[in-house]
Amino acid sequence: LPLGGKVHASPSVRGYARELGVDLAQVRASGAKGRITREDITAHVKAAMSSGSVPGKTPAAAPGNGLDLLPWPKIDFAKFGPIETQPLSRIKKISGANLSRNAVVIPHVTNFDEADITDLEAFRVALNKENDKSGRKLTMLAFLIKACVSALRKFPEFNASLDGDNLVLKKYFHVAFAADTPNGLVVPVIRDADRKGLYEIAAEAAELAKKARDGKLGSADMSGGCFTVSSLGGIGGTAFTPIINAPEVAILGVTKAQTKPLWDGQQFVPRLILPLCLSWDHRVVDGVLAARFLVHLQNMLGDFRRISLEG
Protein backbone atom coordinates (compact mmCIF):
# COMPACT_ATOMS: atom_id res chain seq x y z
CA LEU A 1 0.00 0.00 0.00
CA PRO A 2 1.56 3.35 -0.97
CA LEU A 3 1.75 5.95 1.78
CA GLY A 4 -1.27 8.23 1.81
CA GLY A 5 -3.37 5.74 -0.19
CA LYS A 6 -6.73 4.23 0.69
CA VAL A 7 -6.60 2.55 4.08
CA HIS A 8 -7.75 -1.04 4.62
CA ALA A 9 -7.86 -2.13 8.28
CA SER A 10 -10.19 -3.96 10.65
CA PRO A 11 -12.10 -2.05 13.37
CA SER A 12 -9.81 -3.48 16.09
CA VAL A 13 -6.72 -2.33 14.20
CA ARG A 14 -8.24 1.12 13.69
CA GLY A 15 -8.94 1.30 17.43
CA TYR A 16 -5.34 0.30 18.17
CA ALA A 17 -4.12 3.08 15.85
CA ARG A 18 -6.34 5.66 17.56
CA GLU A 19 -5.01 4.54 20.95
CA LEU A 20 -1.43 5.13 19.78
CA GLY A 21 -2.25 8.35 17.93
CA VAL A 22 -1.17 6.92 14.57
CA ASP A 23 -2.46 8.14 11.19
CA LEU A 24 -3.19 4.92 9.28
CA ALA A 25 -2.56 6.66 5.97
CA GLN A 26 1.12 6.85 6.94
CA VAL A 27 1.49 3.13 7.80
CA ARG A 28 2.90 0.61 5.33
CA ALA A 29 0.62 -2.44 5.10
CA SER A 30 1.92 -5.99 5.07
CA GLY A 31 -1.36 -7.88 5.34
CA ALA A 32 -3.27 -9.68 2.63
CA LYS A 33 -4.70 -7.40 -0.08
CA GLY A 34 -2.97 -4.37 1.42
CA ARG A 35 -4.58 -4.60 4.87
CA ILE A 36 -2.83 -2.96 7.81
CA THR A 37 -2.11 -5.21 10.80
CA ARG A 38 -1.37 -4.44 14.46
CA GLU A 39 2.24 -5.41 13.81
CA ASP A 40 2.42 -2.79 11.02
CA ILE A 41 1.29 -0.08 13.47
CA THR A 42 3.75 -1.19 16.16
CA ALA A 43 6.58 -1.20 13.61
CA HIS A 44 5.54 2.27 12.41
CA VAL A 45 5.65 3.69 15.95
CA LYS A 46 9.02 2.09 16.69
CA ALA A 47 10.46 3.45 13.44
CA ALA A 48 9.08 6.92 14.18
CA MET A 49 10.59 6.93 17.66
CA SER A 50 13.99 5.76 16.46
CA SER A 51 14.03 8.52 13.85
CA GLY A 52 12.94 11.17 16.36
CA SER A 53 9.69 12.07 14.58
CA VAL A 54 6.20 12.28 16.01
CA PRO A 55 4.16 9.16 15.09
CA GLY A 56 1.24 9.75 12.79
CA LYS A 57 2.36 13.24 11.73
CA THR A 58 3.67 13.98 8.27
CA PRO A 59 5.94 16.95 7.56
CA ALA A 60 3.26 18.41 5.32
CA ALA A 61 0.55 18.07 7.97
CA ALA A 62 2.67 19.29 10.86
CA PRO A 63 5.67 21.35 9.74
CA GLY A 64 8.34 21.75 12.38
CA ASN A 65 7.10 18.84 14.50
CA GLY A 66 10.08 16.62 13.65
CA LEU A 67 12.62 16.56 16.46
CA ASP A 68 15.59 16.51 14.08
CA LEU A 69 17.58 14.33 16.48
CA LEU A 70 20.94 12.77 15.76
CA PRO A 71 20.81 9.08 14.78
CA TRP A 72 21.00 6.57 17.62
CA PRO A 73 24.72 5.74 18.18
CA LYS A 74 25.92 2.45 16.70
CA ILE A 75 28.54 0.99 19.05
CA ASP A 76 30.27 -2.38 19.21
CA PHE A 77 30.07 -2.81 22.99
CA ALA A 78 32.06 -6.05 22.83
CA LYS A 79 35.17 -3.97 22.12
CA PHE A 80 35.09 -2.73 25.71
CA GLY A 81 34.46 -5.99 27.54
CA PRO A 82 32.25 -9.06 27.85
CA ILE A 83 28.57 -8.56 27.00
CA GLU A 84 25.35 -10.53 26.82
CA THR A 85 22.54 -9.63 24.40
CA GLN A 86 18.94 -10.27 25.44
CA PRO A 87 15.90 -9.51 23.27
CA LEU A 88 13.35 -7.10 24.71
CA SER A 89 10.12 -8.73 25.80
CA ARG A 90 6.98 -8.11 23.75
CA ILE A 91 5.57 -6.03 26.64
CA LYS A 92 8.66 -3.82 26.75
CA LYS A 93 8.63 -3.33 22.98
CA ILE A 94 5.02 -2.17 22.99
CA SER A 95 5.22 -0.12 26.18
CA GLY A 96 8.53 1.41 25.09
CA ALA A 97 6.96 2.77 21.92
CA ASN A 98 4.00 4.12 23.90
CA LEU A 99 6.15 5.71 26.59
CA SER A 100 8.48 7.31 24.04
CA ARG A 101 5.54 8.87 22.21
CA ASN A 102 3.91 10.05 25.44
CA ALA A 103 7.13 11.57 26.78
CA VAL A 104 7.75 13.43 23.50
CA VAL A 105 4.23 14.59 22.65
CA ILE A 106 2.74 15.42 26.08
CA PRO A 107 4.05 18.53 27.90
CA HIS A 108 4.60 16.88 31.28
CA VAL A 109 4.75 18.71 34.61
CA THR A 110 5.08 16.89 37.95
CA ASN A 111 3.91 18.18 41.33
CA PHE A 112 5.26 16.65 44.55
CA ASP A 113 3.50 16.57 47.90
CA GLU A 114 3.00 14.41 50.98
CA ALA A 115 0.01 12.88 52.75
CA ASP A 116 -0.17 11.98 56.44
CA ILE A 117 -1.50 8.40 56.44
CA THR A 118 -0.76 7.59 60.10
CA ASP A 119 -4.39 7.06 61.06
CA LEU A 120 -5.32 5.44 57.74
CA GLU A 121 -2.55 2.85 57.99
CA ALA A 122 -3.50 2.07 61.61
CA PHE A 123 -7.12 1.62 60.46
CA ARG A 124 -6.04 -0.65 57.57
CA VAL A 125 -3.86 -2.82 59.81
CA ALA A 126 -6.64 -3.12 62.41
CA LEU A 127 -9.19 -4.18 59.79
CA ASN A 128 -6.83 -6.77 58.33
CA LYS A 129 -6.21 -8.17 61.80
CA GLU A 130 -9.96 -8.44 62.41
CA ASN A 131 -10.40 -10.28 59.11
CA ASP A 132 -7.30 -12.43 59.44
CA LYS A 133 -9.23 -15.71 59.46
CA SER A 134 -11.49 -14.80 56.54
CA GLY A 135 -8.55 -13.87 54.33
CA ARG A 136 -10.08 -10.51 53.32
CA LYS A 137 -7.26 -8.03 52.96
CA LEU A 138 -7.22 -4.29 52.39
CA THR A 139 -4.22 -2.80 50.61
CA MET A 140 -3.14 0.82 50.58
CA LEU A 141 -3.69 0.74 46.82
CA ALA A 142 -7.43 0.24 47.38
CA PHE A 143 -7.57 3.37 49.56
CA LEU A 144 -5.52 5.29 46.99
CA ILE A 145 -7.85 4.31 44.16
CA LYS A 146 -10.91 5.32 46.17
CA ALA A 147 -9.31 8.65 47.11
CA CYS A 148 -8.40 9.27 43.45
CA VAL A 149 -12.02 8.69 42.41
CA SER A 150 -13.04 11.36 44.90
CA ALA A 151 -10.47 13.79 43.44
CA LEU A 152 -11.52 12.97 39.86
CA ARG A 153 -15.13 13.77 40.75
CA LYS A 154 -14.16 17.10 42.26
CA PHE A 155 -11.77 18.03 39.43
CA PRO A 156 -13.29 16.59 36.20
CA GLU A 157 -10.49 18.00 34.04
CA PHE A 158 -8.36 15.12 35.35
CA ASN A 159 -10.98 12.60 34.25
CA ALA A 160 -10.70 13.64 30.62
CA SER A 161 -8.91 13.09 27.32
CA LEU A 162 -7.95 15.38 24.47
CA ASP A 163 -9.62 14.74 21.12
CA GLY A 164 -8.22 17.29 18.68
CA ASP A 165 -9.41 20.70 19.88
CA ASN A 166 -12.02 19.15 22.20
CA LEU A 167 -11.76 17.91 25.77
CA VAL A 168 -13.75 14.73 26.38
CA LEU A 169 -15.00 14.73 29.98
CA LYS A 170 -15.76 11.20 31.16
CA LYS A 171 -18.71 10.38 33.40
CA TYR A 172 -17.26 6.99 34.41
CA PHE A 173 -14.34 6.24 36.71
CA HIS A 174 -12.03 3.47 35.48
CA VAL A 175 -8.77 3.68 37.46
CA ALA A 176 -5.68 1.84 36.22
CA PHE A 177 -2.70 0.74 38.26
CA ALA A 178 0.81 -0.25 37.23
CA ALA A 179 1.55 -3.92 37.87
CA ASP A 180 5.05 -5.40 37.81
CA THR A 181 5.62 -8.63 35.90
CA PRO A 182 8.75 -10.62 34.99
CA ASN A 183 8.45 -9.24 31.44
CA GLY A 184 7.82 -5.59 32.34
CA LEU A 185 5.12 -3.25 33.58
CA VAL A 186 1.50 -3.60 32.51
CA VAL A 187 -1.45 -1.40 33.44
CA PRO A 188 -4.69 -3.25 34.26
CA VAL A 189 -7.86 -1.25 34.90
CA ILE A 190 -10.35 -1.32 37.79
CA ARG A 191 -13.62 -0.45 36.03
CA ASP A 192 -16.31 1.62 37.76
CA ALA A 193 -14.17 2.10 40.85
CA ASP A 194 -16.71 4.65 42.10
CA ARG A 195 -19.32 1.87 42.45
CA LYS A 196 -17.08 -0.61 44.25
CA GLY A 197 -16.18 -0.93 47.91
CA LEU A 198 -12.66 -1.09 49.27
CA TYR A 199 -12.65 -4.86 49.71
CA GLU A 200 -13.94 -5.36 46.17
CA ILE A 201 -11.27 -3.05 44.74
CA ALA A 202 -8.51 -4.76 46.74
CA ALA A 203 -9.65 -8.23 45.63
CA GLU A 204 -9.98 -7.20 41.98
CA ALA A 205 -6.57 -5.51 41.97
CA ALA A 206 -4.99 -8.66 43.46
CA GLU A 207 -6.69 -10.83 40.82
CA LEU A 208 -5.59 -8.56 37.97
CA ALA A 209 -2.03 -8.42 39.32
CA LYS A 210 -1.92 -12.23 39.40
CA LYS A 211 -3.24 -12.42 35.83
CA ALA A 212 -0.52 -9.96 34.84
CA ARG A 213 2.23 -12.04 36.45
CA ASP A 214 0.86 -15.16 34.77
CA GLY A 215 0.75 -13.40 31.38
CA LYS A 216 -3.01 -13.84 31.12
CA LEU A 217 -4.16 -10.21 30.91
CA GLY A 218 -6.34 -9.50 27.89
CA SER A 219 -6.68 -6.22 26.03
CA ALA A 220 -10.05 -5.66 27.74
CA ASP A 221 -8.27 -5.78 31.13
CA MET A 222 -6.01 -2.89 30.10
CA SER A 223 -8.33 -0.59 28.12
CA GLY A 224 -10.62 2.29 29.02
CA GLY A 225 -8.58 3.75 31.88
CA CYS A 226 -9.29 7.34 32.98
CA PHE A 227 -6.40 7.81 35.43
CA THR A 228 -3.45 5.70 36.56
CA VAL A 229 -1.84 5.02 39.94
CA SER A 230 1.78 3.84 39.87
CA SER A 231 2.93 2.71 43.31
CA LEU A 232 6.47 1.87 44.35
CA GLY A 233 5.43 1.80 48.01
CA GLY A 234 6.36 -1.83 48.49
CA ILE A 235 9.87 -1.25 47.14
CA GLY A 236 11.21 2.17 48.14
CA GLY A 237 12.23 5.55 46.77
CA THR A 238 11.37 9.08 47.77
CA ALA A 239 9.98 10.52 44.51
CA PHE A 240 9.81 9.96 40.77
CA THR A 241 8.26 11.51 37.66
CA PRO A 242 5.78 9.04 36.14
CA ILE A 243 5.00 9.29 32.40
CA ILE A 244 1.33 9.88 31.57
CA ASN A 245 -0.47 6.93 30.02
CA ALA A 246 -2.13 8.54 26.96
CA PRO A 247 -4.92 9.27 26.25
CA GLU A 248 -5.18 10.00 29.99
CA VAL A 249 -4.10 13.47 31.14
CA ALA A 250 -2.54 12.64 34.51
CA ILE A 251 -0.92 9.88 36.57
CA LEU A 252 -0.26 9.57 40.31
CA GLY A 253 3.06 8.15 41.47
CA VAL A 254 3.47 6.92 45.04
CA THR A 255 6.65 5.86 46.82
CA LYS A 256 7.38 4.26 50.19
CA ALA A 257 5.81 5.86 53.27
CA GLN A 258 8.25 6.95 55.97
CA THR A 259 7.86 7.97 59.59
CA LYS A 260 8.86 11.62 59.99
CA PRO A 261 8.72 14.16 62.84
CA LEU A 262 5.92 16.70 62.29
CA TRP A 263 5.31 19.82 64.38
CA ASP A 264 1.83 19.80 65.94
CA GLY A 265 2.07 23.34 67.30
CA GLN A 266 3.72 22.35 70.56
CA GLN A 267 6.09 19.49 69.81
CA PHE A 268 7.38 17.17 67.11
CA VAL A 269 5.40 13.95 66.81
CA PRO A 270 6.10 10.88 64.65
CA ARG A 271 3.75 10.60 61.66
CA LEU A 272 3.66 8.19 58.72
CA ILE A 273 4.11 10.27 55.56
CA LEU A 274 3.30 9.08 52.04
CA PRO A 275 5.04 10.86 49.12
CA LEU A 276 2.77 11.78 46.20
CA CYS A 277 4.03 12.54 42.67
CA LEU A 278 1.41 13.84 40.23
CA SER A 279 2.36 14.20 36.54
CA TRP A 280 -0.12 16.12 34.41
CA ASP A 281 -0.64 17.28 30.84
CA HIS A 282 -0.12 21.06 30.71
CA ARG A 283 -2.40 21.31 27.66
CA VAL A 284 -5.34 20.40 29.91
CA VAL A 285 -4.30 21.06 33.51
CA ASP A 286 -2.46 23.96 35.14
CA GLY A 287 -0.33 24.15 38.29
CA VAL A 288 -3.06 25.60 40.51
CA LEU A 289 -5.50 22.83 39.61
CA ALA A 290 -2.82 20.18 40.13
CA ALA A 291 -2.00 21.58 43.58
CA ARG A 292 -5.68 21.55 44.53
CA PHE A 293 -6.01 17.97 43.28
CA LEU A 294 -3.14 16.90 45.57
CA VAL A 295 -4.54 18.81 48.54
CA HIS A 296 -7.84 17.00 48.06
CA LEU A 297 -5.97 13.68 48.04
CA GLN A 298 -4.14 14.71 51.20
CA ASN A 299 -7.44 15.48 52.93
CA MET A 300 -9.00 12.17 51.89
CA LEU A 301 -6.00 10.08 52.90
CA GLY A 302 -5.48 12.07 56.09
CA ASP A 303 -9.04 11.42 57.30
CA PHE A 304 -10.80 8.77 55.25
CA ARG A 305 -14.11 9.49 56.97
CA ARG A 306 -14.45 12.37 54.50
CA ILE A 307 -15.24 9.81 51.77
CA SER A 308 -18.55 9.05 53.51
CA LEU A 309 -19.59 12.71 53.17
CA GLU A 310 -19.66 12.50 49.38
CA GLY A 311 -22.96 11.95 47.58
Side-chain angles (χ1 to χ4, degrees), residues 2 39-40 85 98 115 201 206 253:
E39 290 73 19
D40 294 333
T85 301
N98 279 313
I201 291 173

Side-chain angles (χ1 to χ4, degrees), residues 170-228:
K170 301 163 189 174
K171 305 300 181 181
Y172 51 87
F173 300 88
H174 303 339
V175 180
F177 66 97
D180 189 24
T181 77
N183 294 317
L185 285 176
V186 292
V187 190
V189 177
I190 304 286
R191 306 183 102 72
D192 299 312
D194 57 317
R195 303 178 188 176
K196 295 174 179 175
L198 288 164
Y199 282 107
E200 190 176 359
I201 291 173
E204 187 174 338
E207 181 182 348
L208 286 168
K210 185 179 184 305
K211 285 179 68 176
R213 291 191 298 272
D214 295 341
K216 296 180 179 179
L217 278 181
S219 58
D221 295 319
M222 297 182 286
S223 62
C226 303
F227 183 85
T228 297

Side-chain angles (χ1 to χ4, degrees), residues 2-289:
L3 293 182
K6 188 176 181 180
V7 171
H8 298 281
S10 67
S12 63
V13 169
R14 290 178 184 274
Y16 183 56
R18 284 195 299 272
E19 183 181 334
L20 296 181
V22 170
D23 179 3
L24 284 174
Q26 306 306 315
V27 178
R28 292 191 180 277
S30 66
K33 297 182 180 180
R35 295 185 72 83
I36 295 174
T37 66
R38 287 176 66 95
E39 290 73 19
D40 294 333
I41 295 172
T42 302
H44 174 78
V45 172
K46 288 170 63 178
M49 288 304 156
S50 64
S51 66
S53 63
V54 179
K57 299 292 186 181
T58 64
N65 275 358
L67 298 182
D68 195 23
L69 298 177
L70 291 173
W72 195 260
K74 298 288 186 181
I75 299 174
D76 180 9
F77 298 103
K79 293 194 305 184
F80 306 107
I83 64 169
E84 177 185 355
T85 301
Q86 296 180 347
L88 284 175
S89 68
R90 178 177 175 275
I91 289 176
K92 288 184 178 179
K93 286 180 182 178
I94 295 173
S95 63
N98 279 313
L99 292 168
S100 296
R101 178 207 57 202
N102 297 348
V104 169
V105 176
I106 300 172
H108 282 67
V109 182
T110 306
N111 283 35
F112 301 95
D113 217 323
E114 296 177 331
D116 185 339
I117 61 167
T118 309
D119 297 335
L120 179 59
E121 177 62 6
F123 178 57
R124 187 187 73 83
V125 170
L127 287 176
N128 284 346
K129 188 174 182 180
E130 288 177 14
N131 293 286
D132 186 48
K133 292 183 179 179
S134 69
R136 299 176 77 198
K137 292 288 184 182
L138 282 177
T139 60
M140 185 55 66
L141 176 63
F143 287 101
L144 281 167
I145 289 175
K146 208 65 176 174
C148 285
V149 168
S150 173
L152 292 172
R153 274 177 164 160
K154 188 173 180 64
F155 303 101
E157 293 91 342
F158 283 86
N159 196 38
S161 289
L162 275 174
D163 183 14
D165 292 330
N166 297 320
L167 187 63
V168 179
L169 298 169
K170 301 163 189 174
K171 305 300 181 181
Y172 51 87
F173 300 88
H174 303 339
V175 180
F177 66 97
D180 189 24
T181 77
N183 294 317
L185 285 176
V186 292
V187 190
V189 177
I190 304 286
R191 306 183 102 72
D192 299 312
D194 57 317
R195 303 178 188 176
K196 295 174 179 175
L198 288 164
Y199 282 107
E200 190 176 359
I201 291 173
E204 187 174 338
E207 181 182 348
L208 286 168
K210 185 179 184 305
K211 285 179 68 176
R213 291 191 298 272
D214 295 341
K216 296 180 179 179
L217 278 181
S219 58
D221 295 319
M222 297 182 286
S223 62
C226 303
F227 183 85
T228 297
V229 177
S230 180
S231 176
L232 301 176
I235 303 172
T238 56
F240 69 111
T241 55
I243 296 176
I244 297 166
N245 186 23
E248 299 166 19
V249 298
I251 180 172
L252 179 70
V254 178
T255 55
K256 189 174 183 178
Q258 298 184 31
T259 300
K260 295 183 178 182
L262 258 63
W263 184 252
D264 68 358
Q266 295 182 327
Q267 60 183 340
F268 284 102
V269 293
R271 304 295 292 179
L272 186 63
I273 304 301
L274 181 70
L276 305 174
C277 319
L278 180 70
S279 291
W280 40 276
D281 187 335
H282 211 334
R283 297 172 299 179
V284 178
V285 178
D286 59 40
V288 172
L289 197 63

